[in-house]
Amino acid sequence: MCYPTPQELGLAARALADEHPGEVRLRQAGTSRAGQPIWVLSVAATATSTATATAVPVGIAGGDARSVLVVAGAHANEPVGGATALSLARRLLRDPAPRAGCGWHFLLCADPDGAALHRTPRPYSLLDYHRYFFRPPGPEQPEWAPSLLPADRLPPETLALTALIDELRPVLQVSLHATDLGGTWVQLTRDIPGLAEPFAKSAAELRIPVENGASDAAGWPSPGPGIFVIPQPGSEAAGAFHPEDTRLSTWYHAHRYAGTTAIVEVPMWASDLVDDPAPHPDPRGALRMLAARLTADAALVGAARERTRSRDRDRDGEGDGGGPHPGGFEDPAAAPLLRAVDWTLALIPRITVEWTGAGAPAEATAAYIASIDAFGRRLSLRAAAMLLRVLRAEGHPAAPGLDRLVTGWCEEFAARFGARWIPVATQVEHQSRTVLAAYDRLVAADRATGRA
């Protein structure tokens, strides 16, 4: 099983809609900046009684019917979500129980332009994964753009997503994400009582480690292993190493309609280091070491980036923007790649300050330090990999040296963490189970409180 491209997702979804015309509908929710369609696949609610299982007309909420919105492909470098969305749609057609009074809607790829630039359908190693790596800068990511841009500058992908939330008013929004190397975890905008048990059971059965100290959720409340609840406004607990305000992202747009958002992360390569609950002997010392390494690694990438600017000035006589494409590069992919490189490099000084500042934890688990270690490695590696794509395409003299650096970093990353590939089908199965469990537990909680 491979990671599907946006085009393959659209074709598979069209075939599914043609096979089940009374239950499934495919429609276009918007258009990307480059003119690519943004597809939504809907599977109709059934009558409340699963014994009759009569489908409500597709695209019509039908009285008191609920809605679930599943968002895939919000990050271009995390392609498993589209495969999970299709798998879930097929599963709901085979077993309609979760559709009782609830329509399910799947945004198949929230960022088709970004997905077109990240090309790794079946990576056989971390190096292979990074050969054609792309992750856009924060302001160009559909979910994060509202936390970084004013409303009048939001990209069309974000507007399509928020319009869909406004239309569907989902009781549950699930955003499907992935990490290159590590474990699985879930972030919640509100607690979903009881989710930790089926989540942990699925991870254990599928041999996926649970990330107990995810760097994305540093200091957040955790009702169970690998489950993290985003702090409420005004709380001091927050992820310290990110420039975005999570509460301004599209994850919170569902709160306008009393909805809850779950972000389900699954690894491509697993590492048992992120599942180690033992206390780390010297967290602050470890963070100082990791900060120094990240600073040194970023300097190497920054020097290579500066060489591209120097070459452009020599060639064009006017620096960036002097050639037929931004930066003087012939490849049209160079502009978004270089924006992403510059964005990533600009983050690193702030992150290292946080790691070495007064707020650094005096106590932490080995899993947490391992997660921070992985986070730092992937920042410099991603910047180097994207820059290398530009340099290789141009035949730049700095390309061979940067290629050796990227190769070495990938090998060190995999060796340090004992990287173990998780088959795509297994990644899909775990995400699917977690999505269904989140909805089941949310409905149970609503019934217990009289909301259902």
Side-chain angles (χ1 to χ4, degrees), residues 6-200:
Q7 293 77 17
E8 290 167 343
L9 287 170
L11 290 172
R14 172 58 63 195
L16 197 62
D18 290 344
E19 291 169 12
H20 304 272
E23 298 177 274
V24 180
R25 176 188 178 193
L26 180 67
R27 61 188 171 111
Q28 188 172 337
T31 304
S32 74
R33 282 161 288 181
Q36 295 300 310
I38 299 172
W39 295 112
V40 177
L41 183 70
S42 297
V43 181
T46 62
T48 303
S49 171
T50 56
T52 57
T54 303
V56 173
V58 177
I60 299 175
D64 295 328
R66 297 165 171 252
S67 289
V68 171
L69 174 61
V70 178
V71 179
H75 285 155
N77 61 303
E78 301 169 6
V80 69
T84 299
L86 282 177
S87 179
L88 267 171
R90 295 184 179 115
R91 185 178 298 207
L92 290 166
L93 290 167
R94 294 193 305 268
D95 177 10
R99 295 164 53 199
C102 182
W104 288 70
H105 309 270
F106 302 91
L107 188 64
L108 296 176
C109 183
D111 183 12
D113 297 349
L117 283 173
H118 179 85
R119 302 191 296 273
T120 52
R122 186 183 290 173
Y124 58 84
S125 67
L126 272 178
L127 179 59
D128 187 45
Y129 169 72
H130 283 92
R131 282 298 184 198
Y132 293 96
F133 181 92
F134 176 69
R135 182 185 177 103
E140 298 176 31
Q141 296 175 15
E143 292 182 327
W144 285 117
S147 69
L148 298 164
L149 294 175
D152 62 351
R153 292 179 55 201
L154 293 177
E157 297 86 350
T158 296
L159 297 177
L161 174 53
T162 54
L164 197 58
I165 296 171
D166 290 337
E167 173 197 338
L168 299 174
R169 302 186 172 210
V171 296
L172 176 65
Q173 177 185 210
V174 183
S175 186
L176 301 173
H177 285 256
T179 186
D180 45 18
L181 196 162
T184 180
W185 73 98
V186 177
Q187 300 174 64
L188 300 170
T189 58
R190 293 190 179 99
D191 187 23
I192 299 179
L195 179 59
E197 186 272 332
F199 169 75

Side-chain angles (χ1 to χ4, degrees), residues 298-314 320 338 341-342 345 387 391 396 398:
L300 295 175
V301 182
R305 174 70 176 107
E306 190 55 39
R307 287 185 65 184
T308 69
R309 293 191 177 96
S310 298
R311 191 184 190 214
D312 292 340
R313 286 192 290 268
D314 294 342
D320 281 0
L338 291 174
V341 170
D342 293 342
L345 291 176
L387 180 58
L391 300 187
H396 195 286

Side-chain angles (χ1 to χ4, degrees), residues 260-351:
T260 297
T261 297
I263 301 91
V264 182
E265 301 267 4
V266 65
M268 301 171 72
W269 283 269
S271 172
D272 293 331
L273 295 183
V274 300
D275 195 15
D276 184 354
H280 191 281
D282 183 15
R284 287 181 173 170
L287 288 171
R288 286 193 298 270
M289 182 275 291
L290 295 175
R293 186 191 67 199
L294 179 55
T295 299
D297 290 349
L300 295 175
V301 182
R305 174 70 176 107
E306 190 55 39
R307 287 185 65 184
T308 69
R309 293 191 177 96
S310 298
R311 191 184 190 214
D312 292 340
R313 286 192 290 268
D314 294 342
R315 182 174 59 189
D316 301 324
E318 52 184 271
D320 281 0
H325 295 285
F329 292 98
E330 298 290 342
D331 184 1
L337 285 164
L338 291 174
R339 287 197 303 272
V341 170
D342 293 342
W343 165 266
T344 304
L345 291 176
L347 292 180
I348 289 174
R350 170 182 168 175
I351 289 169

